[in-house]
Amino acid sequence: MALEYFYITNNPDVASACERAGVDRIFIDMEYIGKDKRQGGLDTVKNHHTVEDVKNVRTAISKPKLLVRVNPIHDGSEDEINAVINAGADFIMLPMWKSVDDVKAFYSIVKRRVKTILLLETEEARKCLDDVVVLDDVDEIYIGLNDLHLSQHKKFMFELYVDGTVDEIVSKLKKANIKFGIGGVGKVNCDNLLPAENILCEHYRLGSSMSILARAFCDWTKYDVVEFEQIMTNGIAENREFEKSLENQPIDYFDEIHKQTEKIIEAIKANR
């Protein structure tokens, strides 16, 4: 089954273009609390989208689901989450949770009014995962490689695919029958240090259901909407074609690609 692709934007015209290109979920990113501190100096995108953005994008799309990442649990969480639900979110994502109590607090506010997705991106979250997966309200869990690798003091976020971290998490999610996604993915047929083909093979090896289209796939801020849509349409079509080629591959094929990926990542780490 093809992966669900997410794209992060608060621009209604870009969201509409994503819908036409075949994106499955539009991702509004309202998280800002603590992000500058933990990602300061890194080449990462730090969005600060708003409830008004949620409303505007909601009216611009029909088929894709609207996913909104709110802030970690804080004093204003109830008002923030209620506002996002009222603005039309289909999914709400909780980032930077570090305990079962954080997750329970989140669910107690949402009250099953929309679907939820827990962003597992801290060592604390990884360590309490056994107690989280047994909760009744868990819909989906997303493995956030960027902050998780920072919390583990690793050099390269994709290292988590080959050091056992992702495999350990995924084994627990599969046992609990919880739908999950992982990190981000770029376009196939591109000359990247770590090819998107290898990342897609990891998704299929692990049984992942979804992935964010990374900034490297196509940064909407660098193009006009017409050009952006063409790049997205062609890129998604090429990724889908590659995914189709993976559907009937034997497990030995994915094991071999995994070994190749490990070698590529070791070479990348050696140069950092």
Side-chain angles (χ1 to χ4, degrees):
M1 186 175 74
L3 295 173
E4 288 185 64
Y5 286 147
F6 303 178
Y7 192 81
I8 300 175
T9 183
N10 65 336
N11 184 305
D13 293 333
V14 171
S16 294
C18 286
E19 176 171 4
R20 293 188 293 271
V23 171
D24 300 290
R25 298 188 196 180
I26 303 299
F27 190 142
I28 299 286
D29 185 9
M30 291 176 52
E31 182 194 5
Y32 68 91
I33 295 175
K35 188 171 273 192
D36 284 338
K37 182 178 180 180
R38 68 178 185 268
Q39 294 184 2
L42 297 177
D43 182 22
T44 57
V45 176
K46 299 176 183 68
N47 301 301
H48 190 170
H49 299 166
T50 66
V51 173
E52 196 64 27
D53 291 324
V54 179
K55 293 177 182 177
N56 292 337
V57 171
R58 175 75 281 165
T59 62
I61 60 173
S62 56
K63 186 178 179 181
K65 298 298 184 182
L66 184 55
L67 164 65
V68 181
R69 174 161 60 187
V70 295
N71 281 293
I73 291 296
H74 64 291
D75 290 343
S77 286
E78 184 167 6
D79 288 342
E80 182 180 63
I81 290 169
N82 287 338
V84 165
I85 292 173
N86 291 335
D90 296 302
F91 285 83
I92 296 182
M93 174 184 278
L94 177 68
M96 297 306 292
W97 51 278
K98 297 183 177 182
S99 68
V100 178
D101 287 341
D102 286 344
V103 175
K104 287 180 177 179
F106 174 59
Y107 290 147
S108 71
I109 297 169
V110 176
K111 294 184 173 69
R112 305 296 300 175
R113 289 175 289 170
V114 296
K115 293 287 188 179
T116 57
I117 180 165
L118 301 176
L119 181 57
L120 193 163
E121 55 182 344
T122 68
E123 265 297 278
E124 294 92 338
R126 185 183 69 82
K127 289 176 180 177
C128 71
L129 184 59
D130 289 329
D131 295 321
V132 169
V133 296
V134 297
L135 298 176
D136 291 335
D137 290 331
V138 180
D139 292 316
E140 299 175 356
I141 291 181
Y142 203 93
I143 303 169
L145 299 180
N146 189 41
D147 278 305
L148 185 55
H149 99 280
L150 292 176
S151 75
Q152 293 184 343
H153 308 291
K154 300 289 177 65
K155 288 185 176 181
F156 185 44
M157 66 178 173
F158 291 118
E159 183 178 352
L160 306 191
Y161 275 122
V162 297
D163 69 358
T165 299
V166 171
D167 285 79
E168 174 198 292
I169 293 168
V170 164
S171 67
K172 295 178 179 182
L173 300 180
K174 284 183 172 180
K175 186 175 180 181
N177 197 30
I178 294 171
K179 182 177 179 178
F180 66 92
I182 309 167
V185 67
K187 286 189 294 187
V188 299
N189 303 321
C190 291
D191 186 20
N192 297 321
L193 283 175
L194 180 58
E197 288 86 342
N198 290 71
I199 298 300
L200 287 170
C201 283
E202 286 298 298
H203 280 272
Y204 275 72
R205 178 182 74 85
L206 294 161
S208 169
S209 297
M210 45 198 167
S211 187
I212 296 168
L213 295 178
R215 182 172 33 154
F217 192 96
C218 186
D219 183 349
W220 69 268
T221 65
K222 295 182 178 180
Y223 304 94
D224 64 43
V225 174
V226 173
E227 188 176 8
F228 168 81
E229 183 176 339
Q230 191 62 56
I231 294 170
M232 289 291 288
T233 300
N234 293 341
I236 289 174
E238 290 181 21
N239 276 34
R240 293 303 190 201
E241 184 177 357
F242 180 76
E243 285 189 68
K244 192 172 180 62
S245 74
L246 300 178
E247 290 178 356
N248 297 313
Q249 291 287 358
I251 189 64
D252 289 351
Y253 171 85
F254 294 104
D255 289 342
E256 189 60 36
I257 299 297
H258 181 71
K259 292 175 184 176
Q260 179 192 102
T261 300
E262 187 170 15
K263 290 179 181 178
I264 294 171
I265 289 173
E266 286 303 316
I268 292 170
K269 285 169 53 186
N271 290 319
R272 292 198 165 201

